[in-house]
Amino acid sequence: MYLCVNFMADCSKNISENVFSSLLEMLLSGESPGREGWRLLLGAPDSGQDRRLRSLAAEVARGRWGRGVWIRGLVEISSFCHNNCYYCGLRRSNRQASRYRLSVEEILECCRKGDRLGFSTFVFQGGEDDVQDDEWMEGMVHAVRAEFPRHAITLSVGERGEEAYRRFRKAGADRYLLRHETRNDGHYAHLHPSGMSGLHRRECLYTLKDLGYQVGAGMMIGTPGQTVDCLLDDIAFLEELKPEMIGMGPFIPAAGTPFANFPAGSVAMTLRMIALMRLRFPDALIPATTALATLDDGGRGAGILSGANVVMPNLSPSPVREKYGIYDRKACRGCEAAEGIHRLEQDLRRIGYHISYGRGDAMSHAAK
Ligand code: 5AD
Ligand code: SF4
């Protein structure tokens, strides 16, 4: 039974200050609060405790990373996808979706622009496009690596075979983002058609790790059918995988998908999850996502003040930005655009932070 549960309201039996403080103590000493501890932290804080959680998480992030926020230039390389995830505007069956794919030369142009703006990391993200196949991808990575020997190259192009991942790595890719989406198998089946498997996705993540990639896992917050237990399963999985990056953003309905009329995820719950994951994974790279900024004008700043330490401005060619429609009304102008980097700098200064222009490798890979 996967009913949409408003668990923020559902679990609002507040926890005592003593219990709350001892759970925070556990997190600060590097221990897991365990499933029932997580359950309390996820569902029970009152607004004062929530504020404390978020500011403590930001303090922990500053302790590790200072007041710098890493930037990644996001290039959306293809809006074609052979998959049919129920939540995503790029799903194969969405006739309302605009489709495009970038050529290697167009991608290199985006990188040149990003380099001029000061980006040291490029993230190439796209649907699972049959035309941008393994061979094409390997060639693309090769071409970017040849022109940008010192930049970090991140791929986010879905589930591929082990051999393909090995070839991309050899061609120069350093990092790979592949959200696990949900660790709960029933919930996974609620979000995806029967041909797709959560297990296969997780196997991909372990393969990527073995190949030496810095990996990013993650999930949406507030997808249809997500319960507290689903999030507890996600946390347990993250504790097991220990990814270098954790991407979390609210679910936002997308026109033309089976979930078009479902409510968006909660910004407050997303911020709480960012704070909790920062406390559990002090070294992780955690973005204040575009989805968060889309739902709430102050979302990016709130994410950083809850422990996030990465933002990913859009470096795609302007005419295609709106076409990469994973969800509706995606923020891709102003501070979400790479050209808006000066505005982003000002926005960050206003909350006491600044842009870090380096590669921003995961701590465990920083010396490599
Ligand atoms: N709302 C928010 N995030 C979404 N994604 C896909 N569709 C949506 C949506 N409707 C996220 C998925 C995917 C990432 C690239 O975008 O988590 O892994
Ligand atoms: Fe394709 Fe990714 Fe969208 Fe699923 S979430 S339809 S795999 S682009």
Side-chain angles (χ1 to χ4, degrees), residues 87-89 125 179 181 201 220 250-254 291 326-327:
Y87 45 83
C88 177
Q125 184 172 86
R179 289 189 180 176
E181 310 298 2
R201 222 172 162 78
M220 290 168 278
F251 160 74
I252 303 176
I326 26 187
Y327 48 77

Side-chain angles (χ1 to χ4, degrees), residues 205-338:
L205 279 163
Y206 282 106
T207 302
L208 289 161
K209 232 181 180 207
D210 287 347
L211 290 169
Y213 284 91
Q214 298 169 47
V215 302
M219 60 280 179
M220 290 168 278
I221 309 297
T223 37
Q226 187 179 63
T227 62
V228 174
D229 276 283
C230 295
L231 285 177
L232 295 176
D233 292 342
D234 289 326
I235 294 172
F237 174 64
L238 293 171
E239 290 186 322
E240 178 193 301
L241 178 70
K242 299 182 184 61
E244 281 77 16
M245 299 162 286
I246 304 174
M248 292 168 291
F251 160 74
I252 303 176
T257 66
F259 294 157
N261 297 318
F262 278 76
S266 147
V267 169
M269 191 51 153
T270 306
L271 295 174
R272 190 179 296 173
M273 277 299 294
I274 289 175
L276 289 171
M277 292 307 95
R278 166 58 65 215
L279 291 172
R280 183 71 181 109
F281 303 102
D283 294 341
L285 292 149
I286 302 180
T289 53
T290 302
L292 195 53
T294 298
L295 277 195
D296 184 328
D297 282 345
R300 190 186 330 93
I304 289 158
L305 292 173
S306 302
N309 61 344
V310 173
V311 290
M312 297 170 64
N314 196 313
L315 199 51
S316 309
S318 297
V320 307
R321 281 182 198 168
E322 256 114 31
K323 292 188 183 169
Y324 194 79
I326 26 187
Y327 48 77
D328 296 345
R329 290 183 290 280
K330 184 187 75 172
C332 55
R333 313 257 155 229
C335 295
E336 290 299 317

